[in-house]
Coordinates of all heavy atoms in Angstrom, one line a residue:
M1 N -33.0 3.9 -15.8 CA -31.8 4.6 -16.1 C -30.5 3.7 -15.9 O -30.4 3.1 -15.0 CB -31.6 5.9 -15.2 CG -30.6 6.8 -15.6 SD -30.5 8.3 -14.6 CE -29.8 7.7 -13.1
L2 N -29.8 3.7 -17.0 CA -28.6 2.8 -17.0 C -27.4 3.6 -16.5 O -27.2 4.8 -16.8 CB -28.3 2.3 -18.4 CG -29.3 1.2 -18.9 CD1 -28.9 0.8 -20.3 CD2 -29.0 -0.1 -18.0
M3 N -26.6 2.9 -15.7 CA -25.4 3.6 -15.2 C -24.3 3.1 -16.1 O -24.1 1.9 -16.4 CB -25.0 3.0 -13.8 CG -26.1 3.4 -12.8 SD -25.8 5.1 -12.1 CE -24.4 4.7 -11.0
T4 N -23.6 4.1 -16.7 CA -22.5 3.7 -17.5 C -21.3 3.3 -16.6 O -21.1 3.9 -15.6 CB -22.1 4.9 -18.5 OG1 -21.9 6.0 -17.7 CG2 -23.1 5.1 -19.6
K5 N -20.5 2.4 -17.0 CA -19.4 2.1 -16.2 C -18.3 3.1 -16.4 O -17.7 3.2 -17.5 CB -18.9 0.6 -16.6 CG -18.0 0.1 -15.6 CD -17.8 -1.4 -15.8 CE -17.1 -2.0 -14.6 NZ -16.7 -3.3 -14.7
E6 N -18.1 3.7 -15.3 CA -17.1 4.8 -15.3 C -15.8 4.2 -15.0 O -15.6 3.2 -14.4 CB -17.4 5.9 -14.3 CG -18.5 6.8 -14.7 CD -18.9 7.7 -13.6 OE1 -18.0 8.1 -12.9 OE2 -20.0 8.1 -13.5
R7 N -14.7 4.9 -15.6 CA -13.4 4.5 -15.2 C -13.1 4.7 -13.8 O -13.5 5.8 -13.2 CB -12.4 5.3 -16.1 CG -12.3 4.6 -17.5 CD -11.2 5.3 -18.3 NE -9.9 5.3 -17.5 CZ -8.9 6.1 -17.8 NH1 -9.0 7.0 -18.8 NH2 -7.8 6.0 -17.3
R8 N -12.4 3.8 -13.2 CA -12.1 4.0 -11.7 C -11.2 5.2 -11.6 O -10.2 5.4 -12.3 CB -11.4 2.8 -11.3 CG -11.4 2.5 -9.8 CD -10.5 1.3 -9.5 NE -11.1 0.1 -10.0 CZ -12.1 -0.5 -9.4 NH1 -12.6 -0.1 -8.3 NH2 -12.6 -1.7 -9.8
P9 N -11.5 6.0 -10.7 CA -10.7 7.2 -10.4 C -9.3 6.8 -9.9 O -9.2 5.7 -9.3 CB -11.4 8.0 -9.3 CG -12.4 7.1 -8.7 CD -12.7 6.1 -9.7
A10 N -8.3 7.6 -10.1 CA -7.0 7.3 -9.7 C -7.0 6.9 -8.2 O -7.6 7.6 -7.4 CB -6.0 8.4 -9.9
I11 N -6.3 5.9 -7.8 CA -6.3 5.5 -6.4 C -5.2 6.3 -5.7 O -4.1 6.3 -6.1 CB -6.1 4.0 -6.3 CG1 -7.3 3.2 -6.9 CG2 -5.8 3.6 -4.9 CD1 -7.0 1.8 -7.3
R12 N -5.6 7.0 -4.6 CA -4.7 7.9 -3.9 C -4.1 7.3 -2.7 O -3.0 7.7 -2.4 CB -5.4 9.1 -3.6 CG -5.8 9.9 -4.8 CD -6.4 11.2 -4.4 NE -6.5 12.1 -5.5 CZ -6.8 13.4 -5.4 NH1 -6.9 13.9 -4.3 NH2 -6.9 14.1 -6.5
T13 N -4.9 6.5 -2.1 CA -4.3 6.0 -0.8 C -4.2 4.5 -0.9 O -4.8 3.8 -1.7 CB -5.3 6.3 0.4 OG1 -6.5 5.6 0.1 CG2 -5.6 7.8 0.4
L14 N -3.3 3.9 0.0 CA -3.2 2.5 0.0 C -4.4 1.8 0.4 O -4.8 0.7 -0.1 CB -2.0 2.2 1.0 CG -0.6 2.1 0.5 CD1 0.3 1.7 1.6 CD2 -0.6 1.1 -0.6
R15 N -5.1 2.5 1.4 CA -6.4 1.9 1.8 C -7.4 1.8 0.7 O -8.1 0.8 0.5 CB -6.9 2.7 3.0 CG -8.1 2.0 3.6 CD -8.7 2.8 4.7 NE -10.0 2.3 5.1 CZ -10.2 1.3 5.9 NH1 -9.2 0.7 6.5 NH2 -11.5 0.9 6.1
G16 N -7.4 2.8 -0.1 CA -8.3 2.9 -1.3 C -7.9 1.8 -2.3 O -8.8 1.1 -2.9
W17 N -6.6 1.6 -2.4 CA -6.1 0.5 -3.3 C -6.6 -0.8 -2.8 O -7.1 -1.6 -3.5 CB -4.6 0.6 -3.5 CG -4.1 -0.7 -4.0 CD1 -4.0 -1.1 -5.3 CD2 -3.5 -1.8 -3.2 NE1 -3.5 -2.3 -5.4 CE2 -3.2 -2.8 -4.2 CE3 -3.3 -2.1 -1.9 CZ2 -2.6 -4.0 -3.8 CZ3 -2.8 -3.3 -1.5 CH2 -2.4 -4.2 -2.4
A18 N -6.3 -1.1 -1.5 CA -6.7 -2.3 -0.9 C -8.2 -2.6 -1.0 O -8.6 -3.7 -1.3 CB -6.2 -2.4 0.6
I19 N -9.0 -1.6 -0.8 CA -10.4 -1.8 -0.8 C -10.9 -2.1 -2.2 O -11.7 -3.0 -2.4 CB -11.1 -0.5 -0.3 CG1 -11.1 -0.5 1.3 CG2 -12.6 -0.5 -0.7 CD1 -11.6 0.7 1.9
S20 N -10.3 -1.4 -3.2 CA -10.7 -1.8 -4.6 C -10.3 -3.2 -5.0 O -11.0 -3.8 -5.7 CB -10.1 -0.7 -5.6 OG -8.8 -1.0 -5.9
V21 N -9.1 -3.6 -4.5 CA -8.7 -5.0 -4.8 C -9.6 -6.0 -4.2 O -10.1 -7.0 -4.8 CB -7.3 -5.2 -4.3 CG1 -7.0 -6.8 -4.4 CG2 -6.3 -4.5 -5.2
L22 N -10.0 -5.7 -2.9 CA -10.8 -6.6 -2.2 C -12.3 -6.7 -2.8 O -12.9 -7.7 -2.8 CB -10.9 -6.2 -0.7 CG -9.8 -6.4 0.2 CD1 -9.8 -5.6 1.4 CD2 -9.5 -7.9 0.5
Q23 N -12.7 -5.5 -3.3 CA -14.0 -5.4 -3.9 C -14.0 -6.2 -5.2 O -14.9 -6.9 -5.6 CB -14.4 -4.0 -4.2 CG -15.6 -3.6 -3.4 CD -16.0 -2.1 -3.7 OE1 -15.1 -1.3 -3.8 NE2 -17.2 -1.9 -3.7
D24 N -13.0 -6.0 -6.0 CA -12.8 -6.7 -7.3 C -12.9 -8.2 -7.1 O -13.4 -8.9 -7.8 CB -11.5 -6.3 -8.0 CG -11.7 -4.9 -8.7 OD1 -12.8 -4.4 -8.7 OD2 -10.7 -4.5 -9.2
A25 N -12.3 -8.7 -6.0 CA -12.1 -10.1 -5.8 C -13.4 -10.6 -5.2 O -13.6 -11.8 -5.1 CB -10.9 -10.4 -4.9
G26 N -14.3 -9.7 -4.7 CA -15.5 -10.2 -4.0 C -15.4 -10.5 -2.6 O -16.2 -11.1 -2.0
A27 N -14.2 -10.0 -2.0 CA -14.0 -10.4 -0.6 C -14.8 -9.4 0.3 O -15.0 -9.7 1.5 CB -12.6 -10.3 -0.2
I28 N -15.1 -8.3 -0.2 CA -15.9 -7.3 0.6 C -17.0 -6.7 -0.3 O -16.9 -6.8 -1.5 CB -15.1 -6.2 1.2 CG1 -14.4 -5.4 0.1 CG2 -14.1 -6.7 2.2 CD1 -13.7 -4.1 0.6
C29 N -18.0 -6.2 0.3 CA -19.1 -5.5 -0.5 C -19.5 -4.3 0.3 O -19.3 -4.3 1.5 CB -20.2 -6.5 -0.8 SG -21.0 -7.1 0.6
E30 N -20.2 -3.5 -0.5 CA -20.6 -2.2 0.2 C -22.1 -2.4 0.5 O -22.9 -2.9 -0.3 CB -20.4 -1.1 -0.8 CG -20.4 0.3 -0.3 CD -20.0 1.2 -1.4 OE1 -19.2 1.0 -2.2 OE2 -20.7 2.3 -1.4
C31 N -22.5 -1.9 1.7 CA -23.9 -1.9 2.1 C -24.6 -0.9 1.1 O -24.2 0.2 1.0 CB -24.1 -1.4 3.5 SG -25.8 -1.1 3.9
E32 N -25.6 -1.3 0.4 CA -26.3 -0.6 -0.5 C -27.0 0.7 0.1 O -27.1 1.7 -0.5 CB -27.4 -1.4 -1.3 CG -26.7 -2.3 -2.3 CD -27.7 -3.1 -3.0 OE1 -28.9 -2.9 -2.9 OE2 -27.3 -4.2 -3.6
E33 N -27.3 0.6 1.3 CA -28.1 1.6 1.9 C -27.2 2.6 2.7 O -27.4 3.8 2.6 CB -29.0 1.0 3.0 CG -30.4 1.1 2.7 CD -31.3 0.5 3.8 OE1 -31.4 -0.7 3.8 OE2 -31.9 1.3 4.6
H34 N -26.1 2.1 3.3 CA -25.3 3.0 4.1 C -23.9 3.2 3.6 O -23.2 4.1 4.1 CB -25.3 2.5 5.5 CG -26.6 2.2 6.1 ND1 -27.0 0.8 6.2 CD2 -27.6 3.0 6.5 CE1 -28.3 0.9 6.8 NE2 -28.6 2.2 6.9
G35 N -23.5 2.4 2.6 CA -22.1 2.6 2.1 C -21.0 2.0 2.9 O -19.8 2.2 2.5
W36 N -21.3 1.3 4.0 CA -20.2 0.7 4.8 C -19.7 -0.6 4.0 O -20.5 -1.3 3.5 CB -20.7 0.3 6.1 CG -21.0 1.4 7.0 CD1 -22.3 2.0 7.3 CD2 -20.2 2.2 7.8 NE1 -22.2 3.0 8.2 CE2 -20.9 3.2 8.5 CE3 -18.7 2.2 8.0 CZ2 -20.3 4.1 9.4 CZ3 -18.2 3.1 8.9 CH2 -19.0 4.0 9.6
M37 N -18.5 -0.8 4.2 CA -17.8 -2.0 3.7 C -18.1 -3.1 4.6 O -18.0 -3.0 5.8 CB -16.3 -1.8 3.4 CG -16.0 -0.9 2.3 SD -16.6 -1.5 0.7 CE -16.3 -0.2 -0.4
Q38 N -18.4 -4.3 4.1 CA -18.7 -5.4 4.9 C -17.8 -6.6 4.3 O -17.7 -6.7 3.1 CB -20.1 -5.9 4.8 CG -21.1 -4.9 5.3 CD -22.6 -5.2 4.7 OE1 -23.0 -4.6 3.9 NE2 -23.0 -6.3 5.3
E39 N -17.2 -7.3 5.2 CA -16.5 -8.5 4.8 C -17.5 -9.6 4.5 O -18.4 -9.7 5.2 CB -15.5 -8.9 6.0 CG -14.3 -9.6 5.5 CD -14.1 -10.7 6.4 OE1 -14.1 -10.7 7.6 OE2 -13.8 -11.9 5.8
R40 N -17.1 -10.3 3.5 CA -18.1 -11.4 3.1 C -17.7 -12.8 3.6 O -18.5 -13.7 3.3 CB -18.3 -11.4 1.6 CG -18.9 -10.0 1.1 CD -19.1 -10.0 -0.4 NE -20.1 -11.0 -0.8 CZ -20.0 -11.6 -1.9 NH1 -19.0 -11.3 -2.8 NH2 -20.9 -12.4 -2.3
A41 N -16.7 -12.8 4.4 CA -16.3 -14.1 5.0 C -16.2 -15.2 3.9 O -16.7 -16.3 4.1 CB -17.3 -14.5 6.1
D42 N -15.6 -14.8 2.8 CA -15.5 -15.8 1.7 C -13.9 -16.1 1.6 O -13.2 -15.3 1.1 CB -16.0 -15.2 0.4 CG -15.8 -16.2 -0.8 OD1 -15.0 -17.1 -0.7 OD2 -16.5 -16.0 -1.8
P43 N -13.5 -17.2 2.1 CA -12.0 -17.4 2.1 C -11.4 -17.5 0.7 O -10.3 -17.1 0.4 CB -11.8 -18.8 2.7 CG -13.2 -19.3 2.9 CD -14.2 -18.3 2.7
H44 N -12.2 -17.9 -0.3 CA -11.7 -18.0 -1.7 C -11.5 -16.6 -2.2 O -10.6 -16.3 -2.9 CB -12.6 -18.8 -2.6 CG -12.8 -20.2 -2.1 ND1 -11.7 -21.1 -2.2 CD2 -13.8 -20.9 -1.5 CE1 -12.2 -22.3 -1.7 NE2 -13.4 -22.2 -1.3
A45 N -12.5 -15.7 -2.0 CA -12.4 -14.4 -2.5 C -11.2 -13.7 -1.8 O -10.4 -12.9 -2.4 CB -13.7 -13.6 -2.1
R46 N -11.0 -14.0 -0.5 CA -9.9 -13.4 0.2 C -8.6 -13.9 -0.4 O -7.6 -13.1 -0.6 CB -10.0 -13.9 1.6 CG -9.2 -13.1 2.6 CD -9.2 -13.7 4.0 NE -10.5 -13.5 4.5 CZ -10.6 -13.5 5.9 NH1 -9.6 -13.4 6.6 NH2 -11.9 -13.3 6.4
E47 N -8.5 -15.1 -0.7 CA -7.2 -15.7 -1.4 C -7.0 -15.0 -2.6 O -5.9 -14.6 -3.0 CB -7.4 -17.2 -1.6 CG -6.9 -18.0 -0.5 CD -5.5 -17.6 0.0 OE1 -4.6 -17.6 -0.8 OE2 -5.4 -17.3 1.3
R48 N -8.0 -14.8 -3.4 CA -8.0 -14.1 -4.8 C -7.4 -12.7 -4.6 O -6.6 -12.3 -5.3 CB -9.3 -14.1 -5.4 CG -9.3 -14.5 -6.8 CD -10.7 -14.8 -7.4 NE -11.8 -14.3 -6.8 CZ -12.8 -15.1 -6.4 NH1 -12.8 -16.4 -6.5 NH2 -13.9 -14.6 -5.8
A49 N -7.9 -12.0 -3.6 CA -7.5 -10.6 -3.4 C -6.0 -10.6 -3.0 O -5.2 -9.8 -3.5 CB -8.3 -10.0 -2.3
L50 N -5.6 -11.5 -2.1 CA -4.2 -11.6 -1.7 C -3.3 -12.0 -2.9 O -2.2 -11.4 -3.0 CB -4.1 -12.6 -0.6 CG -4.6 -12.3 0.7 CD1 -4.6 -13.4 1.7 CD2 -3.9 -11.1 1.4
E51 N -3.9 -12.8 -3.8 CA -3.0 -13.2 -5.0 C -2.9 -11.9 -5.9 O -1.7 -11.7 -6.4 CB -3.8 -14.3 -5.7 CG -3.0 -15.0 -6.8 CD -1.7 -15.5 -6.3 OE1 -1.7 -16.0 -5.0 OE2 -0.7 -15.5 -7.0
I52 N -3.9 -11.1 -6.1 CA -3.9 -10.0 -6.8 C -2.8 -9.0 -6.3 O -2.0 -8.4 -6.9 CB -5.2 -9.2 -6.9 CG1 -6.2 -10.2 -7.7 CG2 -5.0 -7.9 -7.6 CD1 -7.6 -9.6 -7.6
A53 N -2.8 -8.9 -4.9 CA -1.9 -8.0 -4.3 C -0.5 -8.4 -4.5 O 0.4 -7.6 -4.7 CB -2.2 -7.9 -2.8
R54 N -0.3 -9.7 -4.5 CA 1.0 -10.3 -4.6 C 1.5 -10.1 -6.1 O 2.7 -9.8 -6.3 CB 1.0 -11.8 -4.4 CG 2.0 -12.2 -3.3 CD 2.0 -13.8 -3.2 NE 0.6 -14.3 -3.1 CZ 0.0 -14.7 -1.9 NH1 0.7 -14.7 -0.8 NH2 -1.1 -15.2 -1.9
Q55 N 0.6 -10.2 -7.0 CA 1.0 -10.1 -8.5 C 1.1 -8.7 -8.9 O 2.0 -8.4 -9.7 CB -0.1 -10.8 -9.3 CG -0.4 -12.2 -9.0 CD 0.6 -13.2 -9.5 OE1 1.2 -13.0 -10.5 NE2 0.8 -14.3 -8.8
E56 N 0.2 -7.9 -8.5 CA 0.2 -6.5 -8.8 C 0.2 -5.5 -7.7 O -0.7 -4.8 -7.5 CB -1.0 -6.2 -9.7 CG -1.1 -7.1 -10.9 CD -2.5 -7.0 -11.5 OE1 -3.1 -6.0 -11.5 OE2 -3.0 -8.0 -12.0
P57 N 1.3 -5.5 -7.0 CA 1.4 -4.5 -5.9 C 1.4 -3.1 -6.5 O 1.9 -2.8 -7.6 CB 2.7 -4.8 -5.2 CG 3.5 -5.5 -6.2 CD 2.5 -6.3 -7.1
P58 N 0.8 -2.1 -5.7 CA 0.8 -0.7 -6.2 C 2.3 -0.2 -6.3 O 3.1 -0.7 -5.6 CB 0.0 0.0 -5.2 CG 0.0 -0.8 -3.9 CD 0.1 -2.2 -4.4
S59 N 2.5 0.8 -7.1 CA 3.8 1.2 -7.4 C 4.5 1.7 -6.0 O 3.8 2.4 -5.2 CB 3.8 2.3 -8.3 OG 3.0 3.4 -8.0
G60 N 5.7 1.3 -5.8 CA 6.4 1.7 -4.6 C 6.3 0.6 -3.4 O 7.0 0.8 -2.4
L61 N 5.5 -0.4 -3.7 CA 5.3 -1.4 -2.7 C 5.8 -2.7 -3.2 O 5.7 -3.0 -4.3 CB 3.9 -1.5 -2.4 CG 3.5 -1.1 -1.0 CD1 3.6 0.4 -0.7 CD2 2.0 -1.4 -0.6
S62 N 6.5 -3.5 -2.3 CA 6.8 -4.8 -2.6 C 5.6 -5.7 -2.5 O 4.6 -5.3 -1.9 CB 7.9 -5.3 -1.7 OG 7.4 -5.5 -0.4
S63 N 5.6 -6.9 -3.1 CA 4.5 -7.8 -2.9 C 4.1 -8.1 -1.5 O 2.9 -8.1 -1.1 CB 4.9 -9.2 -3.6 OG 5.1 -9.0 -5.0
E64 N 5.2 -8.2 -0.6 CA 4.9 -8.5 0.7 C 4.2 -7.4 1.4 O 3.3 -7.6 2.2 CB 6.3 -8.7 1.4 CG 6.4 -10.1 2.1 CD 7.8 -10.3 2.6 OE1 8.2 -9.8 3.6 OE2 8.5 -11.1 1.9
Q65 N 4.7 -6.1 1.2 CA 4.0 -5.0 1.7 C 2.6 -4.9 1.3 O 1.7 -4.5 2.1 CB 4.8 -3.7 1.4 CG 6.2 -3.6 2.1 CD 7.0 -2.4 1.5 OE1 7.1 -2.3 0.3 NE2 7.6 -1.7 2.4
A66 N 2.4 -5.2 0.0 CA 1.0 -5.0 -0.5 C 0.1 -6.1 0.2 O -1.1 -5.7 0.5 CB 1.0 -5.3 -2.0
V67 N 0.6 -7.3 0.4 CA -0.3 -8.3 1.1 C -0.5 -7.8 2.5 O -1.6 -8.0 3.0 CB 0.5 -9.7 1.0 CG1 -0.2 -10.6 2.0 CG2 0.5 -10.2 -0.3
T68 N 0.5 -7.3 3.2 CA 0.3 -6.9 4.6 C -0.7 -5.8 4.7 O -1.6 -5.8 5.5 CB 1.7 -6.3 5.1 OG1 2.7 -7.3 5.0 CG2 1.5 -6.0 6.6
E69 N -0.6 -4.8 3.7 CA -1.6 -3.7 3.7 C -3.0 -4.3 3.5 O -4.0 -3.9 4.2 CB -1.2 -2.8 2.6 CG -2.1 -1.6 2.4 CD -2.1 -0.7 3.7 OE1 -1.0 -0.7 4.4 OE2 -3.1 0.0 4.0
L70 N -3.1 -5.2 2.5 CA -4.4 -5.8 2.3 C -5.0 -6.4 3.5 O -6.2 -6.4 3.8 CB -4.3 -6.8 1.2 CG -5.5 -7.1 0.3 CD1 -5.8 -6.0 -0.6 CD2 -5.3 -8.4 -0.5
R71 N -4.2 -7.2 4.2 CA -4.6 -7.9 5.4 C -5.1 -6.9 6.5 O -6.1 -7.1 7.2 CB -3.5 -8.8 6.0 CG -3.3 -10.0 5.2 CD -2.9 -11.2 6.1 NE -2.9 -12.4 5.4 CZ -1.8 -12.9 4.8 NH1 -0.7 -12.3 5.0 NH2 -1.9 -14.1 4.2
D72 N -4.3 -5.9 6.6 CA -4.7 -4.8 7.6 C -6.0 -4.2 7.3 O -6.8 -4.1 8.2 CB -3.6 -3.7 7.6 CG -2.4 -4.0 8.4 OD1 -2.3 -5.2 9.0 OD2 -1.4 -3.2 8.3
V73 N -6.3 -3.9 6.1 CA -7.5 -3.3 5.7 C -8.6 -4.3 6.0 O -9.7 -4.0 6.5 CB -7.5 -2.8 4.2 CG1 -8.9 -2.5 3.8 CG2 -6.5 -1.6 4.1
L74 N -8.4 -5.5 5.6 CA -9.4 -6.6 5.7 C -9.8 -6.8 7.1 O -11.0 -6.9 7.5 CB -8.9 -7.9 5.2 CG -9.9 -9.0 4.8 CD1 -10.8 -8.6 3.9 CD2 -9.1 -10.2 4.2
E75 N -8.8 -6.7 8.0 CA -9.1 -6.9 9.5 C -9.9 -5.7 10.1 O -10.5 -5.8 11.0 CB -7.7 -7.0 10.2 CG -7.3 -8.4 10.5 CD -5.9 -8.6 11.0 OE1 -5.5 -7.7 11.9 OE2 -5.2 -9.5 10.5
S76 N -9.7 -4.5 9.4 CA -10.4 -3.3 9.9 C -11.9 -3.3 9.5 O -12.7 -2.5 9.9 CB -9.7 -2.1 9.5 OG -9.9 -1.8 8.1
I77 N -12.2 -4.2 8.6 CA -13.6 -4.2 8.0 C -14.4 -5.3 8.7 O -14.0 -6.5 8.8 CB -13.6 -4.5 6.5 CG1 -12.9 -3.3 5.8 CG2 -15.0 -4.7 6.0 CD1 -12.6 -3.6 4.3
G78 N -15.6 -4.9 9.2 CA -16.5 -5.8 9.9 C -17.2 -6.6 9.0 O -17.3 -6.4 7.8
D79 N -17.9 -7.7 9.5 CA -18.7 -8.5 8.6 C -20.1 -8.1 8.6 O -21.0 -8.7 8.0 CB -18.6 -10.0 9.0 CG -19.0 -10.2 10.4 OD1 -19.4 -9.4 11.1 OD2 -18.9 -11.5 10.8
T80 N -20.4 -7.0 9.3 CA -21.8 -6.4 9.2 C -21.7 -5.0 9.1 O -20.7 -4.3 9.4 CB -22.7 -6.8 10.5 OG1 -21.9 -6.4 11.6 CG2 -22.9 -8.3 10.5
C81 N -22.8 -4.4 8.5 CA -22.9 -3.0 8.4 C -23.3 -2.4 9.8 O -24.3 -2.8 10.3 CB -23.9 -2.5 7.3 SG -24.3 -0.9 7.4
P82 N -22.6 -1.4 10.3 CA -22.9 -0.9 11.7 C -24.2 -0.2 11.7 O -24.8 -0.1 12.7 CB -21.7 0.0 11.9 CG -21.0 0.3 10.7 CD -21.4 -0.8 9.7
D83 N -24.7 0.3 10.5 CA -26.0 1.0 10.5 C -27.2 0.1 10.2 O -28.3 0.6 10.3 CB -25.9 2.1 9.5 CG -25.1 3.2 10.1 OD1 -24.9 3.3 11.4 OD2 -24.6 4.1 9.3
C84 N -27.0 -1.1 9.7 CA -28.1 -2.0 9.4 C -28.6 -2.7 10.7 O -27.8 -3.0 11.6 CB -27.7 -3.1 8.5 SG -27.7 -2.6 6.8
P85 N -29.9 -2.8 10.8 CA -30.4 -3.5 12.0 C -30.0 -4.9 12.0 O -29.9 -5.5 10.9 CB -32.0 -3.3 11.8 CG -32.2 -3.1 10.4 CD -31.0 -2.4 9.9
P86 N -29.8 -5.6 13.1 CA -29.4 -6.9 13.2 C -30.4 -7.8 12.5 O -31.6 -7.6 12.6 CB -29.2 -7.3 14.7 CG -29.9 -6.1 15.4 CD -29.9 -5.0 14.4
E87 N -30.0 -8.9 12.0 CA -31.0 -9.8 11.2 C -31.8 -10.7 12.1 O -32.9 -11.0 11.8 CB -30.2 -10.7 10.2 CG -29.9 -9.9 8.9 CD -29.1 -10.7 7.9 OE1 -29.4 -11.9 7.8 OE2 -28.1 -10.1 7.4
D88 N -31.2 -11.0 13.3 CA -31.9 -11.9 14.1 C -32.9 -11.2 15.0 O -32.7 -10.9 16.2 CB -30.9 -12.7 15.0 CG -30.0 -11.8 15.7 OD1 -29.7 -10.7 15.2 OD2 -29.5 -12.3 16.8
L89 N -34.0 -10.8 14.4 CA -35.1 -10.0 15.1 C -36.0 -11.0 15.9 O -36.3 -12.0 15.4 CB -35.9 -9.2 14.1 CG -35.1 -8.0 13.5 CD1 -36.0 -7.4 12.4 CD2 -34.8 -7.0 14.5
Ligands
ZN101 ZN1 -26.2 -0.8 6.1

């Protein structure tokens, strides 16, 4: 079964905006099993996301505020899924 690419729903929260930017840039990814966001520890992807935030801040935000928001969200995301078993078994 093919998934059609749906249009992204309207972004309602700043956190939602930040997460979508981070995901687009590949700085974070979602655990396929549990849906938790994980940071991918990729400095280039992170830079890309910050660049997007600077270039295209959400309406009502300055570039600086957008970057700050993005950083806040990034810091709140861990690099592992809390529900996945640890890899070093
Ligand atoms: Zn998981």
Side-chain angles (χ1 to χ4, degrees):
M1 190 173 75
L2 284 172
M3 297 275 284
T4 51
K5 194 165 188 183
E6 285 175 32
R7 279 184 56 196
R8 201 184 292 281
I11 293 160
R12 294 187 167 190
T13 63
L14 267 183
R15 190 180 164 83
W17 164 82
I19 283 175
S20 83
V21 168
L22 288 165
Q23 241 180 327
D24 279 355
I28 58 174
C29 63
E30 199 174 320
C31 170
E32 283 175 16
E33 251 180 279
H34 310 105
W36 291 99
M37 287 300 173
Q38 300 162 253
E39 205 225 314
R40 297 181 62 212
D42 179 344
H44 299 291
R46 197 186 290 211
E47 271 310 305
R48 230 167 13 239
L50 289 170
E51 194 55 38
I52 295 170
R54 239 184 311 252
Q55 306 280 331
E56 302 167 34
S59 56
L61 246 68
S62 70
S63 296
E64 235 170 77
Q65 287 170 318
V67 167
T68 304
E69 181 64 28
L70 204 74
R71 285 219 171 93
D72 280 357
V73 171
L74 198 55
E75 266 171 38
S76 74
I77 294 172
D79 58 2
T80 53
C81 166
D83 286 336
C84 276
E87 278 174 43
D88 52 334
L89 290 170

